[in-house]
Amino acid sequence: MRPFQEFTRYTEWKDRFLKDRDRIKELELEEPKCEDPRISKAIVSMYVGGLEHRLQDEDVKRWTDWAGKKTYKTFNGFPQLSDEELSFLFYCLGKLFVPLLLHEKGVKSESFKALDQSKQEYAVSEVLDTIWENHIIRILQILPYVDLKSIMR
C-alpha cells in the first residue's frame, strides 16, 4: 500500500461528491428537517454518499440517522467546517458506514435483531468508533487541500 493511498481515495470521492451535490440539495428539500439545518445537510449527505437506494430499508435508514446525529453531536457540530466541508465529510461517512450496516452480521442479521436496543446501539457504536478513528481524522486532514471552502452554493 502506498503511504498516501487513503488520502487519494478521499480526493477521488470529492469528484463524486461534486457530481452528487445537486442530489444532496434535492433531498434536503424532501427530507424532514432536524432541529439544526446543518445536521439535516449532514444526514442527507450521508444518504447520498451511502447510495440512497440502500436507505429504502427502514433499519438501514434508522441506523444511518442515528449514526449521523451521534457523529454530529460527538464532534460538537464541526463548527470549524464550512457547510460544503461538513457535507463532504458526511458524504464520505455514508460511503464508509452504510455498507457496514448491510454486512452479513449487520443490522439485517438475525443475531443483531436478537439484541436488545442498548446492545444494538453498542454494536453500531463500535463500528462508528472505528470509522471515527480510522477515517474522520484523515478526512479532516485532507479538507484544507480539497478546497471546498471556496465552492459557492
Side-chain angles (χ1 to χ4, degrees):
M1 184 157 106
R2 298 182 328 248
F4 295 102
Q5 188 171 355
E6 286 296 319
F7 294 109
T8 304
R9 175 197 322 186
Y10 305 126
T11 57
E12 289 170 0
W13 286 357
K14 176 197 169 194
D15 295 333
R16 292 186 205 165
F17 167 74
L18 292 175
K19 290 176 186 167
D20 287 339
R21 279 177 50 221
D22 289 340
R23 182 61 188 145
I24 291 169
K25 289 176 184 175
E26 286 174 24
L27 274 180
E28 277 184 274
L29 298 173
E30 294 172 16
E31 285 294 316
K33 301 288 181 239
C34 293
E35 62 281 358
D36 177 345
R38 280 177 51 96
I39 199 168
S40 294
K41 177 183 265 310
I43 291 172
V44 164
S45 297
M46 266 183 92
Y47 293 171
V48 175
L51 301 178
E52 61 186 286
H53 70 273
R54 293 174 173 162
L55 294 145
Q56 291 172 352
D57 183 289
E58 285 302 314
D59 290 333
V60 174
K61 187 175 189 310
R62 181 170 69 89
W63 286 108
T64 300
D65 290 349
W66 183 87
K69 290 175 184 174
K70 182 173 173 76
T71 300
Y72 187 83
K73 290 176 181 170
T74 299
F75 290 92
N76 198 29
F78 297 94
Q80 76 281 13
L81 301 182
S82 71
D83 285 354
E84 286 297 317
E85 289 171 325
L86 179 80
S87 185
F88 177 69
L89 175 71
F90 278 81
Y91 179 86
C92 293
L93 184 61
K95 285 198 162 306
L96 298 162
F97 183 73
V98 173
L100 293 174
L101 292 176
L102 295 166
H103 187 271
E104 65 189 36
K105 294 182 181 177
V107 299
K108 301 305 293 175
S109 70
E110 293 304 316
S111 59
F112 182 84
K113 290 179 180 181
L115 299 173
D116 67 37
Q117 180 69 25
S118 65
K119 288 183 179 169
Q120 287 180 349
E121 285 182 10
Y122 180 78
V124 175
S125 284
E126 288 294 304
V127 171
L128 194 55
D129 285 347
T130 302
I131 290 172
W132 290 348
E133 291 171 13
N134 295 318
H135 295 280
I136 295 283
I137 303 305
R138 289 182 189 144
I139 297 166
L140 290 171
Q141 286 174 326
I142 63 110
L143 276 176
Y145 305 102
V146 295
D147 199 28
L148 289 171
K149 276 190 179 179
S150 67
I151 295 174
M152 300 305 287
R153 289 182 150 217

